[in-house]
Amino acid sequence: MNAGTATRLSRSVCPYCGTGCGVLIEHDGKQILGVRGDPEHPANFGQLCSKGMTLAQTVHGPGRAVVPLHRVADDDWLEASWDQSLGQIATRWAEIYRDRGPQALAFYVSGQLPTEDYYVANKLAKGFLGTNHIDTNSRLCMASAVTGYKRSLGMDSVPCSYEDLELTDCLFIVGANVAYAHPIIFRRIEAARAKRPDLRIIVVDPRRTATASIADLFLPILPGTDVALFHGILHLLIWNDRLDAEFIQQHTQGWQELKQRVQEYTPQRVAEICQIAEADLQQAAEMFASSPSVLSLWCQGLNQSAHGTDNNVTLINLHLATGQIGRPGAGPFSLTGQPNAMGGRETGGMPALLPGHREVANAEHRADIADIWGIDALYPQPGLTAVPMYQALERGDLAAIWITCTNPVLSLPDRQQIERALHNAEQVVLQESYLDGETMPFADWVLPAASWGEREALVTNSERRVSHLQAAIPAPGCARPDWQIFCDFAQALGAALDRLQVALPDQRDVSWQRRAARMFSFADTASIYAEYQRCTVGRDLDISGLQLATLITQGPQQWPFPAGAKTGQKRLYADGVFPTSSGRAQFHAPAHVGVAEEIDARYPLRLTTGRLRDQWHSMARTGRAASLFASAEEAFLHIHPRDARQFSVEDGELIRVESRRGASIYRTRIDDTLQRGLLFAPMHFGRRHAPAALCNTVTLPAIDPYSGEPEFKHAAVRIHAIALPWEAAVLLEDSAGEASRLLRELAQDFAYASITPLVSAQHPATLLRVAAKQAPDPSVAQRWDAALSLLGADTLLYEDPRNGFSKRLRIHDGRLNALRLWGGLQTLDWLRQLVLDGTEVEPFRLALLAPRVPANLASWERSRGICACKGVDEKTILHAIANGASSLEGIMQACGAGTECGSCKPEIQQLLQHRFAEAS
């Protein structure tokens, strides 16, 4: 920043998980210069995780969408103006509307969209066009929680608050690696335990995750057995007379059917189904029963299942049977996966929903919204959810799809089917902030959207808390807020429909253009919010009293916040009255049915997928921050040591994972936190960083019958070592972050590749590693060298044709700043450290060309990063332990790890536990 330039602060909210952490953006009005946690925001009180702390690194630089693009060939894009783009898209959509009707058109949006974007998109689809085919990628993470709440409690209303984390006596954490997926919530849990050591914590997960490090009781159940576990706990509560009979009698219905069902789930049977000790099941039931207050936390482990709704309702059964709801420290609390998945649900951004928690299938609800939108009627049939939507696109039942702020080719199950669907579509519009996502090659148009920090916005977090986000800087190029793009498209579409003389659906307007002008006359966020407020009046999420000015001046507020209220409501259902037709909560009694695809002799292993601590979703944003790769430079497949021995797999070896749908290639990581027979793959990596390791190549499109959520958490697979003995690598100093695209092009023809940004305070770089069955033709190396500018006078060349090995190095100002290794990587780790450290290489210039690191030179040994904030790796922490640091505090003092955001603390604890276990 130039001297004298004033630094300003703008209040915002982190755009990652649904915790909703407040962020202060430091900027000069043109560039975001830094971020820090907002100490006044009640979600985080100033704390940020490793991802949030690097937000400033993700906004600027190459790869942003800045102008509309039209694809004219496979990889040939032409720039266009907004008028040209929206005009041509509108003409095609108008033709489809005329020829096939609105039900041939679909939208697929995102839980990252702010509330006003969701509202306008929903109004465009359902109100203007008349199609209910609008779904969101929240379908992939929160849909089962939504249907669980609605079926059990009557409405999609999370009854708890973050404050309950400090007030509860027992935390029941099921299918949620909170330490990774919601690190700041985990910080609050750690602080609550430190303040109240008698706080009891149960963790249920097939993997012994970082979250399990704080558990008093850990239950490593078999994947897909959650219903049996919850029924088994309830069986014991009934047997031991530990129920709240008065609450059951006065505030619930369906008890007798549930009581009869759980009689079948004896402790012995449940222990066998879940493959846990019967004594542990007994202990879990006792801890639940004897705690004055119990708070359940869950996330994708319960939701991402072909019976995710059953998982949710049977967990909620436990709270209803014990009266553990509607009071401090108690209740079923689902953790939201995306920053505004809650806001999307509130505004009706799903195919069966309408704004204000209304239902498409409810005639009265349709009439309410039709009146607010000024139209005669809404289409009465709910639209398609995500997986069936893309299946319909492949069949040709849908002709065009508008994809906004999401990456379905990477994130939806059965990737091959999604690609076929997009190939088959007559038109695909992609509205995005970042280029080069896996979906972009299938788009006909790419429209540039403003991103985080570049526009005013509203979002709702996991505890029903609405926050206002200030714009800090202008969007790059001609990017626009998503809601504005939708409004502008509505105007263009109205004109196109009039040109084609398409009949209006009612007589309220004289033309489609007049209809568009009336319905989409929004000037700003405030005008959209004012209309949306009308949709909430009298509903469970009533925010008619929550003015935008209140959010700006008084900070985030929880709903409901009706007219006349002075504050929002911390907890729901304190009076025992539920928003059902009877006013009572509903017990449900599903049977345990297991996973959708069971293992067998051909596919004997279980694969589960999930999040990493330092990455988020498809890495469009986090993939731009090199420090976030330190803990996982490649897409590793985690495997239990005994399984590795059984299948003859070595740590770090490349293996092929196959399912009935496809195959991926991963580098292995031996991991004894897994149960035997279970593999774990991260969900984030795509073609930009690991082209062969897309996990949804092997997942299956089985979906929950109520929620439509896919079963990401289990697929039957087999593995075998894949012989790719030939290796090559490129390392380029990359301070501008522009090398990745070039390296992706070089990697295209190789069976395995990984592309990794490497962090360095002074000399950041990007690393490409490839592997193949045999050496390519030598001309490939020559093409690489030409593309990498490694043919000049400043390069050194070493060749060993007999062994098929060669090395090119570029030296500038006495430093190594680029290299290409061909046929062997024995010196890669040492050379990469020379690049990152900016070491003067003249003293060992000849050693640079050696095929191996000379014995008299210290070889740097690569070590997995643990603390992204301080740059501390595993080797440094183990060295501190060896030198006497026997506690978390001791390690923090010795090397600084864990002293910033604290996201790495659970992993440090795991390293301590492993070392002490080995010593004993």
Side-chain angles (χ1 to χ4, degrees), residues 40 126 182 255 309 486 709 785 887:
E40 296 181 11
K126 294 172 182 165
H182 299 85
W255 172 247
T309 299
F486 290 134
E709 184 159 354
D785 292 343
S887 65

Side-chain angles (χ1 to χ4, degrees), residues 756-838:
T756 308
L758 302 178
V759 65
S760 171
Q762 295 181 326
H763 306 286
T766 300
L767 171 67
L768 165 67
R769 294 183 61 176
V770 299
K773 290 185 177 181
Q774 59 189 21
D777 187 275
S779 63
V780 177
Q782 296 169 11
R783 289 199 300 270
W784 276 29
D785 292 343
L788 298 166
S789 301
L790 290 175
L791 298 175
D794 56 352
T795 61
L796 303 178
L797 171 64
Y798 170 83
E799 289 185 299
D800 180 359
R802 184 175 181 180
N803 292 307
F805 176 78
S806 70
K807 175 190 297 191
R808 275 195 182 269
L809 310 173
R810 186 172 66 215
I811 297 174
H812 181 70
D813 290 339
R815 293 190 303 102
L816 180 64
N817 71 355
L819 61 92
R820 186 268 295 157
L821 303 179
W822 195 260
L825 307 183
Q826 293 89 339
T827 61
L828 175 60
D829 286 347
W830 177 55
L831 293 174
R832 97 181 214 163
Q833 203 59 22
L834 295 181
V835 174
L836 297 177
D837 291 344

Side-chain angles (χ1 to χ4, degrees), residues 8 14 30 120 175 257 286 496 546 578 654 668 713 724 736 784 831:
R8 297 181 240 167
C14 179
K30 298 178 180 179
V120 175
E257 293 85 349
E286 176 57 29
L546 181 55
F578 296 88
L654 292 176
T668 55
K713 290 301 180 184
L724 299 174
W784 276 29
L831 293 174

Side-chain angles (χ1 to χ4, degrees), residues 9-27 32 34-49 51-56 58-59 111-116 162 182 184 336-343 434 451-472 551-552 554-557 616 621:
L9 289 179
S10 294
R11 279 196 154 84
S12 188
V13 168
C14 179
Y16 293 129
C17 77
T19 303
C21 295
V23 175
L24 295 177
I25 302 176
E26 301 169 355
H27 63 96
I32 290 178
V35 298
R36 63 178 189 266
D38 184 352
E40 296 181 11
H41 198 290
N44 60 317
F45 299 108
Q47 291 187 312
L48 290 177
C49 74
K51 297 183 289 292
M53 291 183 69
T54 60
L55 276 169
T58 69
V59 178
Q112 299 167 61
L113 290 179
T115 298
E116 61 273 20
Y162 291 155
H182 299 85
I184 299 307
T336 310
Q338 296 190 80
N340 199 38
M342 186 81 77
Y434 296 93
S451 188
W452 178 83
E454 299 165 355
R455 38 81 57 89
E456 184 182 25
L458 294 165
V459 298
T460 309
N461 74 352
S462 292
E463 60 168 350
R464 297 173 283 106
R465 191 176 297 277
V466 183
S467 292
H468 174 260
L469 287 66
Q470 297 173 332
L551 291 170
I552 295 171
Q554 298 181 29
Q557 304 292 327
W616 199 73
R621 195 186 301 273

Side-chain angles (χ1 to χ4, degrees), residues 426-449:
E426 294 180 30
Q427 189 175 76
V428 177
V429 180
L430 179 62
Q431 189 166 303
E432 254 293 359
S433 299
Y434 296 93
L435 302 174
D436 297 330
E438 285 70 19
T439 303
M440 185 172 170
F442 300 89
D444 298 293
W445 291 90
V446 174
L447 304 180

Side-chain angles (χ1 to χ4, degrees), residues 668-730:
T668 55
R669 176 171 283 174
I670 307 299
D671 184 354
D672 63 3
T673 67
L674 294 167
Q675 55 183 255
R676 284 214 63 188
L678 181 67
L679 309 173
F680 170 78
M683 60 177 273
H684 313 285
F685 288 87
R687 289 194 176 99
R688 287 161 291 166
H689 300 287
L694 283 69
C695 72
N696 286 322
T697 301
V698 299
T699 56
L700 67 159
I703 60 174
D704 179 279
Y706 303 104
S707 71
E709 184 159 354
E711 183 156 285
F712 288 111
K713 290 301 180 184
H714 187 274
V717 299
R718 61 192 178 202
I719 63 171
H720 61 84
I722 182 168
L724 299 174
W726 186 90
E727 294 183 290
V730 170

Side-chain angles (χ1 to χ4, degrees), residues 363-492:
E364 183 180 342
H365 290 180
R366 293 197 306 274
D368 289 343
I369 298 303
D371 181 60
I372 292 172
W373 286 349
I375 58 178
D376 278 0
L378 289 160
Y379 189 71
Q381 185 70 34
L384 296 171
T385 61
V387 171
M389 180 184 289
Y390 284 89
Q391 292 169 343
L393 194 64
E394 182 182 10
R395 291 193 305 269
D397 295 341
L398 294 174
I401 189 166
W402 191 300
I403 301 168
T404 303
C405 192
T406 187
N407 190 2
V409 170
L410 183 59
S411 60
L412 278 165
D414 193 1
R415 173 183 63 83
Q416 299 87 315
Q417 189 276 320
I418 304 302
E419 292 186 355
R420 292 194 303 269
L422 294 174
H423 269 306
N424 193 54
E426 294 180 30
Q427 189 175 76
V428 177
V429 180
L430 179 62
Q431 189 166 303
E432 254 293 359
S433 299
Y434 296 93
L435 302 174
D436 297 330
E438 285 70 19
T439 303
M440 185 172 170
F442 300 89
D444 298 293
W445 291 90
V446 174
L447 304 180
S451 188
W452 178 83
E454 299 165 355
R455 38 81 57 89
E456 184 182 25
L458 294 165
V459 298
T460 309
N461 74 352
S462 292
E463 60 168 350
R464 297 173 283 106
R465 191 176 297 277
V466 183
S467 292
H468 174 260
L469 287 66
Q470 297 173 332
I473 59 172
C478 57
R480 298 176 177 177
D482 294 277
W483 67 263
Q484 186 178 343
I485 298 172
F486 290 134
C487 288
D488 293 341
F489 175 66
Q491 310 289 347

